[in-house]
Amino acid sequence: MTVLLSASLALKEMIRNVGRFASISAVIALITVLILFLAGLGEGLALGNRQYLESVDGQLLVYQDTADVQIAASQFDRSIIASVRRVEGVEDVGAVAFSSTVIEPLGGRQSSEDAGQRVSLIGVEPGRPGAPRVVQGSGFTSSSGNEVVLGRQAAIRTGASVGDVITVRSTQGAVDERYDLRVVGIADGQQYQISPGALVPLITFDRVKPKGEVQADPSSLVFNLVAVRAEPGVDAEVLGERIEREVRSVEAYDLVTAYENVPGYTAQKSTVDTQTGFTLVIGILVVGGFFQIQTLQKLGQIGMLKAIGASNATIAISTVLQIVFTNLIGVTIGALGTAALAATFPATVPIVFREGNVLVAVGGLLIIGPLGGLVALRAALRVEPLTALGLAK
Amino acid sequence: MTVPASHDAAASTFPNTPAGVTGPALVADGVTKTYQLGDQTIYAVKDVSLEVQPGEFVALVGPSGSGKTSLLAMLAGLLRPTEGYVRIADEEIGSMSDRALTRFRRRNIGFTFQANNLLPYLTVLENVTLMLSLNGRTTPAAVDWAKELLDQLGLGDRLRNLPSQLSGGQQQRVSIARALIHRPAVVLADEPTASLDTERAFQVVQTFAQLVHDNRRAGIMVTHDLRMVRYVDKVVQMRDGVLERVVDAPEEIRALSEGAP
């Protein structure tokens, strides 16, 4: 009965003062859009940094021990491969190398501004850990062919599809060299360092990557990491310790540690997370301020209600329901608005809405209303019925 | 303007007199309210005793600061006396817990106030039936009686209007209907005519008096305007927190009313 009466009072006040409540719902909707986009941007940037590493078909990545978990600082030659593979519990290993290059526009450059698409160039050993799982095309047919598997983002941005021949441009020495590569597959994800990924066989990588001097000798292959797949049932942490013990001058890390140490990843993520947190706090203050002011404007009414016998429960439930309804409407409009806006964004915008993140953000937004309204609730409950007679202290 | 004495169906839900109550509807005995100001004890109300019978309409008058509103607050159970007691419908309210007192007010007391009388977002009918909802008694018969009561108060065509669409006098009449709809033992009015012009003020008090008499409620009205006592049965005059005198002879009340400035 109390709840029904409280809900009825709350809803009637909202419906008959629709302008006032619509304005706060609109503010909540805008805060929702801002927070969801910040969360989406955070996820998009994080994904752009970690997507390839996260998708590695293995549990561990082996670094040079002096590299301090920095991929670019870790340099191995082929001898390391056999050493790691020999460790008990290792099922397979694969060399992985990172660089960057530019994919020239299909059909050639049309203007001076048409500079092509910068991509992360990733060298892998076909069929080994670190090689991509293609979702279109056949994948690599040899370990040294002029073949490339494009990440989904790279395919979208360049317009290339399976069977096309793309041209990559790399500065080698003082000269821009161009290499034609046939697209043999498309793989989901594969972004690294906020660039879409283009994956090539390690030998091809060594040929086409930017470098100071031309190196033609395949025996001098240099790469950055060794991706390790453990045998089934083998604990990755234990295996990592074993590798570090048995192979000289290496450190092994799980995939999460690896991408958290990608330069800028943690700083970027914490910056966006802080902005999201601040926006939530601002939301709490805005919602709290609105309902606090509204409560102060209604002291006489609340006093009258208490004087005629309305219980504190009736007042409290009505106040809370009003806050929850207003917040729910605002968050719903904001979420729908965000979805509508996001649908208009090109694929190049690094905003990614992941179910879990969206739910956390929406959950946070749904909590800020009642949190902000706590002050108003306290104020409403402290109103003395004597206020109705103008006698309150 | 005529007003209904009762409504058969509603009367079955809201008895005219609380069960088992035969004596005065309200008794105040030696009621005192003091405040401490440093070492000094301030008497807002000092040793006031009075009785109000069912169907009796009493005016509580006095200059500003005479203690009449404080006394009304104690009679309403909104303020606890420092000494003495208040009994309504045979129940002493001073010893009740806050929650019990709230429930008691909801069931046994009707209010009209000087300001903030109505909820601005409820219609006229909703404001009146709010008392029924608070008491969990929103029966069709009770709602019908609310409509009839409002009709008799000249607001039959205003049921769906919001308070902002009514004049001050109309709003006071709505609050009178709300004060009576749940058939409380006592109806209390704090300066119900303060914001009204003279003609409307007289109309409101006359209506109030008639409803109190016809429905056999005990009515107490605080007013600083002696002209308004014309329709009451008893005048309680307060000064400096003390009950100065009680006037209950009709000719004296009329003289008081007509001699008012």
Side-chain angles (χ1 to χ4, degrees), chain A residues 1 5 8-9 12-13 16-17 298 300-301 304-312 314 385-386 388-389 391, chain B residues 69-70 72-73 78-79 102 105-106 111 113 116-117 119-123 126 130-131 133-134 162 178 190:
Chain A
M1 182 58 78
L5 175 60
S8 164
L9 288 175
K12 280 173 180 166
E13 184 174 11
R16 289 168 185 161
N17 292 287
K298 294 198 305 185
Q301 284 173 35
M304 181 274 287
L305 272 171
K306 290 189 176 183
I308 66 173
S311 63
N312 262 341
T314 304
L386 274 175
L389 293 172
L391 285 182
Chain B
T69 303
S70 293
L72 185 80
L78 297 174
L79 196 61
T102 300
R105 281 200 305 270
R106 180 157 75 220
F111 281 102
F113 303 101
N116 291 311
N117 245 320
L119 292 179
Y121 49 86
L122 296 187
T123 65
E126 288 166 348
L130 175 62
M131 282 313 299
S133 304
L134 284 172
L162 293 172
R178 187 193 64 202
D190 178 36

Side-chain angles (χ1 to χ4, degrees), chain A residues 2-24:
Chain A
T2 301
V3 175
L4 283 178
L5 175 60
S6 301
S8 164
L9 288 175
L11 284 173
K12 280 173 180 166
E13 184 174 11
M14 289 177 71
I15 291 166
R16 289 168 185 161
N17 292 287
V18 71
R20 180 151 41 102
F21 285 93
S23 66
I24 186 63

Side-chain angles (χ1 to χ4, degrees), chain A residues 57-176:
Chain A
D57 177 25
Q59 293 78 36
L60 296 169
L61 292 170
V62 176
Y63 293 68
Q64 204 175 5
D65 64 351
T66 55
D68 196 22
V69 209
Q70 298 304 301
I71 290 173
S74 176
Q75 300 276 308
F76 289 122
D77 62 30
R78 291 198 68 83
S79 62
I80 193 74
I81 295 288
S83 301
V84 177
R85 182 173 281 132
R86 272 199 299 271
V87 176
E88 187 187 341
V90 171
E91 184 180 273
D92 200 1
V93 297
V96 186
F98 295 87
S99 184
S100 67
T101 187
V102 173
I103 298 175
E104 297 217 314
L106 285 174
R109 292 172 68 174
Q110 304 299 314
S111 69
S112 59
E113 292 174 1
D114 199 1
Q117 173 64 48
R118 178 157 289 281
V119 293
S120 284
L121 184 67
I122 304 171
V124 297
E125 292 187 281
R128 302 285 187 196
R133 273 170 293 213
V134 297
V135 293
Q136 280 176 40
S138 57
F140 298 118
T141 57
S142 76
S143 60
S144 59
N146 287 336
E147 296 174 340
V148 63
V149 170
L150 294 177
R152 176 79 61 192
Q153 286 285 326
I156 290 170
R157 293 190 196 186
T158 58
S161 51
V162 175
D164 287 345
V165 173
I166 61 168
T167 302
V168 298
R169 186 178 75 241
S170 296
T171 304
Q172 295 180 337
V175 183
D176 273 357

Side-chain angles (χ1 to χ4, degrees), chain B residues 44-45 60 63-72 74 238-241:
Chain B
V45 175
L60 207 53
S64 293
S66 61
K68 54 188 189 299
T69 303
S70 293
L71 177 60
L72 185 80
M74 286 188 281
M238 302 275 298
R239 182 175 293 276
D240 297 332

Side-chain angles (χ1 to χ4, degrees), chain A residues 295-352:
Chain A
T295 301
L296 292 176
Q297 287 173 338
K298 294 198 305 185
L299 291 183
Q301 284 173 35
I302 295 169
M304 181 274 287
L305 272 171
K306 290 189 176 183
I308 66 173
S311 63
N312 262 341
T314 304
I315 307 279
I317 294 170
S318 179
T319 304
V320 169
L321 285 178
Q322 216 164 59
I323 294 167
V324 170
F325 289 151
T326 308
N327 202 43
L328 193 62
I329 291 168
V331 172
T332 304
I333 292 171
L336 293 175
T338 306
L341 270 175
T344 66
F345 285 175
T348 50
V349 176
I351 288 180
V352 175

